């Protein structure tokens, strides 16, 4: 779910799917994107090296959806283009990746907005804890 009804965020902040699983983002309010952290979008890579970049385009109509199927195991960080500066960032865990060497678990890059850096730090801690509890 993508919303700005109770702050700008993705709900849930972290999604876990099997390799080959699909995530569907549904716009609940506002105008948002779901965009991978990738050099294609002038951002640092925070998705697996073998994975392709994605961008939902601007979703503006309540109920609009965007789907993405994840074929490569790993951690994927994504953001909302107009609200990244507000910390609107999310993570997708695909399969059962090892935390080591995951671009999506690297420390937040200083080039990102401060609120996005803080959100990534929180997500990294939550994803790491989740992986430690299940691997």
């Amino acid at each position: 779910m993508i919303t700005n009804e109770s702050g700008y965020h993705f709900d849930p902040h972290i999604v876990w799917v099997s390799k080959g699983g699909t995530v569907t983002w549904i716009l609940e309010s506002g105008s948002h994107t779901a965009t991978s952290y990738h050099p294609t979008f002038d951002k640092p890579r925070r998705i697996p090296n073998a994975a392709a970049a994605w961008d939902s385009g601007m979703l503006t109509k309540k109920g609009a959806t965007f789907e993405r199927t994840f074929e490569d195991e790993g951690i994927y960080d994504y953001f909302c283009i107009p609200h990244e500066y507000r910390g609107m960032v999310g993570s997708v865990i695909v399969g059962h990746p090892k935390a080591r060497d995951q671009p999506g678990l690297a420390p937040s890059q200083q080039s990102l907005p401060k609120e996005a850096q803080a959100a990534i730090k929180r997500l990294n801690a939550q994803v790491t804890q989740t992986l430690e509890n299940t691997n």
Side-chain angles (χ1 to χ4, degrees), residues 53-105:
W54 81 86
D55 175 42
S56 64
M58 187 66 69
L59 302 175
T60 59
K61 185 176 179 184
K62 184 175 179 167
T65 63
F66 172 71
E67 289 186 351
R68 171 89 163 89
T69 299
F70 293 87
E71 299 295 340
D72 297 301
E73 188 169 78
I75 310 301
Y76 295 72
D77 285 346
Y78 64 94
F79 67 103
C80 173
I81 290 173
H83 302 112
E84 179 192 26
Y85 78 100
R86 291 180 177 246
M88 194 168 179
V89 177
S91 293
V92 177
I93 304 169
V94 178
H96 295 279
K98 301 294 181 206
R100 185 176 170 194
D101 299 326
Q102 289 291 325
L105 286 177

Side-chain angles (χ1 to χ4, degrees), residues 1-70:
M1 176 172 58
I2 307 171
T3 183
N4 61 354
E5 288 180 358
S6 59
Y8 291 82
H9 63 96
F10 296 98
D11 184 18
H13 300 152
I14 299 170
V15 176
W16 195 340
V17 297
S18 298
K19 188 174 175 182
T22 300
V23 173
T24 302
W25 287 266
I26 304 168
L27 182 66
E28 290 292 319
S29 63
S31 295
H32 304 284
T33 72
T35 306
S36 61
Y37 273 106
H38 191 275
T40 297
F41 306 112
D42 295 323
K43 296 294 180 181
R45 176 183 283 277
R46 299 194 59 83
I47 65 173
N49 291 328
W54 81 86
D55 175 42
S56 64
M58 187 66 69
L59 302 175
T60 59
K61 185 176 179 184
K62 184 175 179 167
T65 63
F66 172 71
E67 289 186 351
R68 171 89 163 89
T69 299
F70 293 87

